[in-house]
Amino acid sequence: MGEPGAWGEVTAGLKVSRPVLVARLLELEAAGALTTAHVRAGAQVGGVNVRTVWRWLEAARTEGRVEHRPRARLELSDQAWEVLAQAGGNVAALHRHLKAAGGDVPSLASLHRAVRRDLEAGRVLPDRAVVRREREEQQTRQALADLALAGPSEGGAAKVAALRLPPSEPGAVAGSSAGESGAVAGVALPAGARLVRTSSVRAVGEAVGQAMATQGAVCLFGDPGRGKTAAVRMALSEVPPGWKVTWVPVPVRPSVVGMRRAVFDALALAGRFPHTSALADAAVAEALSEARVLVVDEAQRLPVPCLEYLQSLWDHPDTRIT
Protein backbone atom coordinates (compact mmCIF):
# COMPACT_ATOMS: atom_id res chain seq x y z
CA MET A 1 0.00 0.00 0.00
CA GLY A 2 3.01 2.29 0.03
CA GLU A 3 2.93 2.59 -3.75
CA PRO A 4 0.84 5.48 -5.17
CA GLY A 5 -0.81 3.24 -7.71
CA ALA A 6 -1.97 0.73 -5.16
CA TRP A 7 -3.11 3.45 -2.74
CA GLY A 8 -5.07 5.16 -5.50
CA GLU A 9 -6.86 1.89 -6.29
CA VAL A 10 -7.85 1.49 -2.64
CA THR A 11 -9.24 5.05 -2.27
CA ALA A 12 -10.72 5.36 -5.76
CA GLY A 13 -14.25 4.62 -4.63
CA LEU A 14 -14.08 6.48 -1.28
CA LYS A 15 -15.38 10.00 -0.76
CA VAL A 16 -15.88 11.63 2.65
CA SER A 17 -17.34 15.05 3.39
CA ARG A 18 -15.42 17.59 5.43
CA PRO A 19 -17.63 17.45 8.57
CA VAL A 20 -17.42 13.65 8.77
CA LEU A 21 -13.67 13.58 8.14
CA VAL A 22 -12.87 16.35 10.65
CA ALA A 23 -15.08 14.76 13.31
CA ARG A 24 -13.28 11.42 12.96
CA LEU A 25 -9.83 13.01 13.03
CA LEU A 26 -10.76 14.96 16.15
CA GLU A 27 -11.87 11.73 17.81
CA LEU A 28 -8.49 10.17 17.02
CA GLU A 29 -6.72 13.29 18.30
CA ALA A 30 -8.69 13.22 21.55
CA ALA A 31 -7.67 9.57 22.02
CA GLY A 32 -4.02 10.47 21.34
CA ALA A 33 -3.94 8.23 18.25
CA LEU A 34 -3.85 10.83 15.45
CA THR A 35 -0.88 10.48 13.08
CA THR A 36 0.20 12.12 9.84
CA ALA A 37 -0.83 8.92 8.08
CA HIS A 38 -4.42 9.55 9.14
CA VAL A 39 -4.22 13.11 7.76
CA ARG A 40 -2.74 11.89 4.47
CA ALA A 41 -5.46 9.26 4.17
CA GLY A 42 -8.09 11.88 5.00
CA ALA A 43 -6.75 14.18 2.29
CA GLN A 44 -7.04 11.35 -0.23
CA VAL A 45 -10.64 10.48 0.59
CA GLY A 46 -11.57 14.16 0.99
CA GLY A 47 -10.19 15.08 -2.42
CA VAL A 48 -7.91 17.81 -1.03
CA ASN A 49 -4.26 18.21 -0.18
CA VAL A 50 -2.74 17.49 3.22
CA ARG A 51 -2.28 21.15 4.15
CA THR A 52 -6.01 21.75 3.65
CA VAL A 53 -6.87 18.97 6.10
CA TRP A 54 -4.51 20.48 8.69
CA ARG A 55 -6.28 23.86 8.19
CA TRP A 56 -9.64 22.15 8.68
CA LEU A 57 -8.43 20.66 11.94
CA GLU A 58 -7.10 24.02 13.15
CA ALA A 59 -10.43 25.73 12.37
CA ALA A 60 -12.28 23.02 14.28
CA ARG A 61 -9.98 23.40 17.30
CA THR A 62 -9.98 27.21 17.49
CA GLU A 63 -13.38 28.18 16.05
CA GLY A 64 -15.43 25.02 16.47
CA ARG A 65 -16.16 25.22 12.74
CA VAL A 66 -16.22 22.12 10.53
CA GLU A 67 -17.91 23.76 7.51
CA HIS A 68 -16.66 26.32 5.04
CA ARG A 69 -16.75 29.88 6.37
CA PRO A 70 -19.91 31.49 4.93
CA ARG A 71 -19.22 34.35 2.56
CA ALA A 72 -21.30 37.53 2.66
CA ARG A 73 -23.92 37.51 -0.08
CA LEU A 74 -23.71 40.48 -2.43
CA GLU A 75 -27.10 42.17 -2.71
CA LEU A 76 -27.81 44.84 -5.33
CA SER A 77 -29.99 47.76 -4.27
CA ASP A 78 -32.97 48.97 -6.28
CA GLN A 79 -30.93 52.02 -7.26
CA ALA A 80 -28.20 49.75 -8.65
CA TRP A 81 -30.80 47.85 -10.68
CA GLU A 82 -32.10 51.16 -12.01
CA VAL A 83 -28.58 52.14 -13.10
CA LEU A 84 -28.21 48.72 -14.68
CA ALA A 85 -31.49 49.17 -16.55
CA GLN A 86 -30.39 52.59 -17.80
CA ALA A 87 -27.22 50.94 -19.08
CA GLY A 88 -29.19 48.28 -20.91
CA GLY A 89 -27.97 45.51 -18.63
CA ASN A 90 -24.28 46.43 -19.01
CA VAL A 91 -22.71 45.25 -15.75
CA ALA A 92 -19.44 47.02 -16.55
CA ALA A 93 -21.31 50.34 -16.72
CA LEU A 94 -22.80 49.62 -13.30
CA HIS A 95 -19.33 48.84 -11.97
CA ARG A 96 -18.01 52.18 -13.29
CA HIS A 97 -20.97 53.98 -11.69
CA LEU A 98 -20.29 52.37 -8.30
CA LYS A 99 -16.61 53.25 -8.51
CA ALA A 100 -17.45 56.86 -9.30
CA ALA A 101 -19.81 56.97 -6.31
CA GLY A 102 -16.99 55.85 -4.00
CA GLY A 103 -17.07 53.47 -1.06
CA ASP A 104 -16.56 49.72 -1.08
CA VAL A 105 -17.04 48.46 -4.62
CA PRO A 106 -17.27 44.72 -5.38
CA SER A 107 -15.25 43.28 -8.21
CA LEU A 108 -16.68 43.14 -11.71
CA ALA A 109 -16.81 39.34 -11.51
CA SER A 110 -18.78 39.50 -8.26
CA LEU A 111 -21.24 41.93 -9.85
CA HIS A 112 -21.70 39.59 -12.81
CA ARG A 113 -22.41 36.68 -10.45
CA ALA A 114 -24.88 38.68 -8.37
CA VAL A 115 -26.78 39.93 -11.45
CA ARG A 116 -26.86 36.45 -13.01
CA ARG A 117 -28.03 34.91 -9.72
CA ASP A 118 -30.90 37.36 -9.30
CA LEU A 119 -31.96 37.11 -12.95
CA GLU A 120 -32.02 33.31 -12.70
CA ALA A 121 -34.10 33.68 -9.51
CA GLY A 122 -36.76 35.54 -11.49
CA ARG A 123 -35.84 39.22 -11.22
CA VAL A 124 -36.72 41.14 -14.36
CA LEU A 125 -34.42 43.85 -15.65
CA PRO A 126 -36.61 46.91 -16.34
CA ASP A 127 -36.73 48.30 -19.84
CA ARG A 128 -34.61 51.42 -20.28
CA ALA A 129 -37.49 53.40 -21.76
CA VAL A 130 -39.78 52.48 -18.86
CA VAL A 131 -37.19 53.47 -16.24
CA ARG A 132 -36.51 56.77 -18.02
CA ARG A 133 -40.21 57.57 -18.25
CA GLU A 134 -40.81 56.75 -14.57
CA ARG A 135 -37.88 58.95 -13.55
CA GLU A 136 -39.15 61.86 -15.63
CA GLU A 137 -42.65 61.45 -14.15
CA GLN A 138 -41.20 61.43 -10.64
CA GLN A 139 -39.20 64.58 -11.39
CA THR A 140 -42.31 66.25 -12.80
CA ARG A 141 -44.39 65.34 -9.72
CA GLN A 142 -41.66 66.70 -7.46
CA ALA A 143 -41.42 69.90 -9.48
CA LEU A 144 -45.18 70.40 -9.29
CA ALA A 145 -45.11 69.83 -5.55
CA ASP A 146 -42.27 72.33 -5.17
CA LEU A 147 -44.14 74.91 -7.25
CA ALA A 148 -47.34 74.34 -5.28
CA LEU A 149 -45.59 74.98 -1.98
CA ALA A 150 -43.47 77.88 -3.16
CA GLY A 151 -44.89 81.13 -1.80
CA PRO A 152 -43.71 84.74 -1.74
CA SER A 153 -40.89 85.38 0.69
CA GLU A 154 -39.63 88.26 2.74
CA GLY A 155 -35.97 88.41 3.61
CA GLY A 156 -35.46 85.02 1.96
CA ALA A 157 -37.90 83.20 4.26
CA ALA A 158 -41.48 82.27 3.41
CA LYS A 159 -44.14 83.95 5.53
CA VAL A 160 -46.22 81.31 7.28
CA ALA A 161 -49.82 82.05 8.18
CA ALA A 162 -52.04 79.74 10.23
CA LEU A 163 -55.46 79.72 8.62
CA ARG A 164 -58.30 80.01 11.15
CA LEU A 165 -61.73 79.86 9.53
CA PRO A 166 -64.79 81.04 11.50
CA PRO A 167 -66.10 78.19 13.68
CA SER A 168 -69.47 76.73 12.83
CA GLU A 169 -71.73 74.63 14.98
CA PRO A 170 -69.96 72.18 17.32
CA GLY A 171 -68.66 69.09 15.60
CA ALA A 172 -68.98 70.47 12.05
CA VAL A 173 -66.10 71.33 9.77
CA ALA A 174 -65.32 75.04 9.93
CA GLY A 175 -65.84 76.19 6.38
CA SER A 176 -67.68 73.94 3.98
CA SER A 177 -65.37 74.35 1.01
CA ALA A 178 -61.90 75.46 0.05
CA GLY A 179 -61.67 79.12 -0.88
CA GLU A 180 -59.82 80.75 -3.73
CA SER A 181 -56.48 79.96 -2.08
CA GLY A 182 -57.41 76.30 -1.71
CA ALA A 183 -57.43 76.73 2.07
CA VAL A 184 -58.76 73.95 4.28
CA ALA A 185 -59.59 74.38 7.95
CA GLY A 186 -56.80 73.17 10.19
CA VAL A 187 -54.11 73.12 7.47
CA ALA A 188 -51.42 75.82 7.70
CA LEU A 189 -49.83 76.88 4.41
CA PRO A 190 -47.07 79.32 3.45
CA ALA A 191 -48.51 82.66 2.35
CA GLY A 192 -49.77 82.47 -1.22
CA ALA A 193 -49.51 78.67 -1.45
CA ARG A 194 -52.25 76.31 -2.59
CA LEU A 195 -53.17 72.76 -1.68
CA VAL A 196 -52.80 70.31 -4.54
CA ARG A 197 -55.15 67.34 -4.83
CA THR A 198 -52.69 64.62 -5.80
CA SER A 199 -53.65 61.06 -6.65
CA SER A 200 -52.95 60.04 -3.05
CA VAL A 201 -55.27 62.74 -1.72
CA ARG A 202 -57.96 61.68 -4.16
CA ALA A 203 -57.54 58.05 -3.03
CA VAL A 204 -58.03 59.12 0.60
CA GLY A 205 -61.13 61.09 -0.39
CA GLU A 206 -62.60 58.08 -2.20
CA ALA A 207 -61.91 55.78 0.76
CA VAL A 208 -63.50 58.22 3.21
CA GLY A 209 -66.52 58.69 0.93
CA GLN A 210 -67.07 54.95 0.60
CA ALA A 211 -66.78 54.53 4.39
CA MET A 212 -69.34 57.30 4.93
CA ALA A 213 -71.73 55.64 2.49
CA THR A 214 -71.63 52.41 4.51
CA GLN A 215 -70.91 53.95 7.94
CA GLY A 216 -67.73 51.92 8.02
CA ALA A 217 -64.24 52.54 9.35
CA VAL A 218 -61.02 53.70 7.66
CA CYS A 219 -57.43 53.49 8.88
CA LEU A 220 -55.01 55.87 7.15
CA PHE A 221 -51.39 55.10 7.89
CA GLY A 222 -47.95 56.06 6.61
CA ASP A 223 -44.60 57.54 7.58
CA PRO A 224 -44.52 60.78 9.61
CA GLY A 225 -44.75 63.97 7.60
CA ARG A 226 -46.35 62.41 4.53
CA GLY A 227 -49.51 64.53 4.81
CA LYS A 228 -52.00 62.07 6.29
CA THR A 229 -53.82 64.64 8.42
CA ALA A 230 -53.89 67.19 5.58
CA ALA A 231 -55.31 64.58 3.20
CA VAL A 232 -58.09 63.69 5.65
CA ARG A 233 -58.93 67.36 6.21
CA MET A 234 -59.11 67.89 2.45
CA ALA A 235 -61.34 64.81 2.09
CA LEU A 236 -63.68 66.11 4.80
CA SER A 237 -63.68 69.76 3.70
CA GLU A 238 -66.91 69.17 1.77
CA VAL A 239 -69.16 66.63 3.49
CA PRO A 240 -72.72 65.85 2.32
CA PRO A 241 -75.59 67.80 3.90
CA GLY A 242 -76.60 66.42 7.28
CA TRP A 243 -73.11 65.12 8.10
CA LYS A 244 -70.88 66.51 10.83
CA VAL A 245 -67.18 65.94 11.50
CA THR A 246 -65.54 65.68 14.90
CA TRP A 247 -61.80 65.44 15.50
CA VAL A 248 -60.86 63.56 18.66
CA PRO A 249 -57.29 64.13 19.90
CA VAL A 250 -55.69 61.11 21.54
CA PRO A 251 -54.80 61.99 25.15
CA VAL A 252 -51.35 61.48 26.63
CA ARG A 253 -51.02 57.95 28.09
CA PRO A 254 -54.53 57.12 26.87
CA SER A 255 -56.88 55.09 29.02
CA VAL A 256 -60.55 54.24 28.56
CA VAL A 257 -61.49 57.00 31.04
CA GLY A 258 -59.31 59.50 29.21
CA MET A 259 -60.63 58.43 25.83
CA ARG A 260 -64.24 58.74 27.02
CA ARG A 261 -63.46 62.28 28.25
CA ALA A 262 -61.70 63.15 24.96
CA VAL A 263 -64.75 62.10 22.90
CA PHE A 264 -67.10 63.97 25.28
CA ASP A 265 -65.04 67.17 25.02
CA ALA A 266 -64.60 66.87 21.24
CA LEU A 267 -68.37 66.68 20.80
CA ALA A 268 -68.66 69.90 22.86
CA LEU A 269 -71.56 68.47 24.84
CA ALA A 270 -73.37 70.82 27.20
CA GLY A 271 -72.77 70.65 30.92
CA ARG A 272 -69.99 69.15 32.98
CA PHE A 273 -68.51 65.74 32.33
CA PRO A 274 -70.77 63.16 34.06
CA HIS A 275 -69.49 61.54 37.22
CA THR A 276 -70.35 58.02 36.01
CA SER A 277 -69.31 56.24 32.84
CA ALA A 278 -72.90 55.18 32.11
CA LEU A 279 -74.10 58.79 32.02
CA ALA A 280 -71.14 59.84 29.88
CA ASP A 281 -71.72 57.00 27.40
CA ALA A 282 -75.42 57.86 27.18
CA ALA A 283 -74.65 61.50 26.40
CA VAL A 284 -72.05 60.53 23.78
CA ALA A 285 -74.38 57.99 22.13
CA GLU A 286 -77.13 60.59 21.90
CA ALA A 287 -74.79 63.06 20.22
CA LEU A 288 -73.60 60.37 17.80
CA SER A 289 -77.15 59.52 16.74
CA GLU A 290 -76.70 62.04 13.90
CA ALA A 291 -74.59 61.17 10.86
CA ARG A 292 -71.05 62.03 11.88
CA VAL A 293 -67.45 61.29 10.96
CA LEU A 294 -65.35 60.66 14.07
CA VAL A 295 -61.67 61.29 13.31
CA VAL A 296 -59.16 59.93 15.83
CA ASP A 297 -55.74 61.39 15.15
CA GLU A 298 -52.57 59.57 16.29
CA ALA A 299 -54.60 56.39 16.77
CA GLN A 300 -51.44 54.26 16.78
CA ARG A 301 -50.95 55.32 20.42
CA LEU A 302 -54.23 53.76 21.52
CA PRO A 303 -54.09 50.56 23.58
CA VAL A 304 -56.57 47.77 22.94
CA PRO A 305 -59.10 48.83 25.62
CA CYS A 306 -59.39 52.29 24.02
CA LEU A 307 -59.90 50.76 20.60
CA GLU A 308 -62.59 48.52 22.07
CA TYR A 309 -64.28 51.60 23.55
CA LEU A 310 -64.38 53.26 20.10
CA GLN A 311 -65.72 50.02 18.63
CA SER A 312 -68.47 50.00 21.24
CA LEU A 313 -69.53 53.46 20.07
CA TRP A 314 -69.55 52.26 16.47
CA ASP A 315 -71.49 49.10 17.37
CA HIS A 316 -74.09 50.98 19.43
CA PRO A 317 -77.53 50.56 17.76
CA ASP A 318 -78.36 54.27 18.10
CA THR A 319 -75.15 55.75 16.66
CA ARG A 320 -74.48 56.68 13.02
CA ILE A 321 -70.75 57.20 12.82
CA THR A 322 -67.94 56.58 10.38
Side-chain angles (χ1 to χ4, degrees):
M1 293 183 64
E3 298 178 3
W7 176 247
E9 291 178 2
V10 171
T11 61
L14 297 178
K15 275 296 177 184
V16 178
S17 65
R18 173 179 173 175
V20 174
L21 175 60
V22 172
R24 182 57 183 148
L25 292 176
L26 289 175
E27 290 177 1
L28 291 172
E29 185 179 54
L34 181 65
T35 65
T36 55
H38 294 124
V39 176
R40 286 198 303 270
Q44 287 284 344
V45 297
V48 295
N49 58 48
V50 174
R51 284 178 298 180
T52 299
V53 176
W54 283 116
R55 284 199 299 271
W56 289 355
L57 283 172
E58 182 63 21
R61 296 189 196 105
T62 58
E63 305 174 29
R65 177 172 55 83
V66 297
E67 296 282 1
H68 292 287
R69 180 179 286 107
R71 291 192 296 181
R73 176 187 172 103
L74 175 61
E75 299 288 352
L76 297 182
S77 64
D78 292 338
Q79 183 181 6
W81 278 100
E82 183 179 341
V83 172
L84 188 61
Q86 289 285 354
N90 189 330
V91 180
L94 172 61
H95 189 255
R96 290 193 297 270
H97 172 83
L98 295 176
K99 289 181 67 176
D104 295 332
V105 180
S107 66
L108 182 59
S110 297
L111 278 179
H112 273 289
R113 286 194 297 269
V115 171
R116 183 166 56 251
R117 178 200 67 213
D118 289 352
L119 290 176
E120 291 174 352
R123 176 137 194 179
V124 179
L125 190 64
D127 182 79
R128 276 189 292 183
V130 174
V131 173
R132 188 182 304 112
R133 184 167 60 252
E134 290 179 350
R135 176 179 294 176
E136 291 174 353
E137 291 176 354
Q138 174 63 28
Q139 292 173 345
T140 301
R141 287 194 296 269
Q142 184 61 50
L144 289 173
D146 293 340
L147 289 173
L149 294 176
S153 60
E154 287 185 6
K159 185 188 294 182
V160 178
L163 303 177
R164 294 175 180 267
L165 300 183
S168 61
E169 60 180 318
V173 173
S176 60
S177 62
E180 293 182 359
S181 64
V184 173
V187 179
L189 294 174
R194 294 177 58 89
L195 286 173
V196 178
R197 292 188 179 274
T198 63
S199 58
S200 298
V201 173
R202 288 194 296 270
V204 171
E206 292 174 1
V208 171
Q210 292 172 4
M212 292 172 65
T214 59
Q215 294 184 22
V218 175
C219 176
L220 179 62
F221 61 94
D223 295 332
R226 298 304 295 271
K228 300 183 294 297
T229 302
V232 173
R233 289 192 179 276
M234 292 177 70
L236 296 174
S237 61
E238 297 180 357
V239 296
W243 279 84
K244 297 180 180 180
V245 179
T246 298
W247 286 74
V248 181
V250 172
V252 178
R253 294 183 179 178
S255 62
V256 174
V257 175
M259 198 68 217
R260 181 180 286 111
R261 180 63 181 264
V263 174
F264 186 92
D265 292 343
L267 292 171
L269 300 179
R272 300 180 60 182
F273 184 70
H275 62 281
T276 65
S277 60
L279 292 175
D281 290 344
V284 169
E286 182 180 358
L288 296 180
S289 61
E290 301 177 294
R292 188 183 300 266
V293 179
L294 207 63
V295 185
V296 183
D297 206 1
E298 302 296 335
Q300 76 279 359
R301 290 166 26 198
L302 291 177
V304 172
C306 290
L307 293 173
E308 291 175 343
Y309 167 72
L310 293 175
Q311 183 180 359
S312 69
L313 297 179
W314 185 63
D315 288 336
H316 195 285
D318 296 332
T319 59
R320 297 175 56 200
I321 62 174
T322 293

